[in-house]
Amino acid sequence: MDLSFYKSSLSEEIRDEGRAEGRTEGRAEGIARGILLLLAQAGVDVPEEARERVMGCADLDILSRWLLRAPTATSVEDVFAVG
């Protein structure tokens, strides 16, 4: 059985991309959980739809923006506000 593919530069590149994607997904999930924890700590009601929006977001820039807003938010609308 020829296993040379598994040692090729193409297979290494594919594995590296997979690792990077996994790290990004892990960061996104961690930030999303942080947002929800901050809101819970502040006593902000987070409906299931908003919880799904936060947990389903994979854009690190958006999540970071939401994370910065979460400590001072009095509602989930404050977190999602544009601008």
Side-chain angles (χ1 to χ4, degrees):
M1 177 180 261
D2 181 15
L3 300 177
S4 61
F5 171 78
Y6 298 102
K7 297 176 184 179
S8 73
S9 61
L10 176 60
S11 65
E12 278 298 316
E13 184 177 329
I14 291 169
R15 281 193 290 274
D16 289 345
E17 287 176 11
R19 286 185 198 107
E21 185 176 316
R23 284 190 295 273
T24 300
E25 288 174 8
R27 281 189 206 112
E29 184 177 342
I31 294 170
R33 289 183 184 279
I35 292 165
L36 295 176
L37 285 171
L38 286 168
L39 293 173
Q41 182 68 29
V44 174
D45 180 49
V46 182
E48 187 59 31
E49 182 179 306
R51 184 175 304 281
E52 288 174 5
R53 181 175 177 187
V54 171
M55 291 305 297
C57 183
D59 186 316
L60 294 176
D61 291 333
I62 291 172
L63 287 167
S64 294
R65 195 172 325 126
W66 292 349
L67 181 63
L68 290 172
R69 293 177 183 160
T72 59
T74 57
S75 70
V76 292
E77 290 80 18
D78 292 342
V79 173
F80 297 142
V82 176

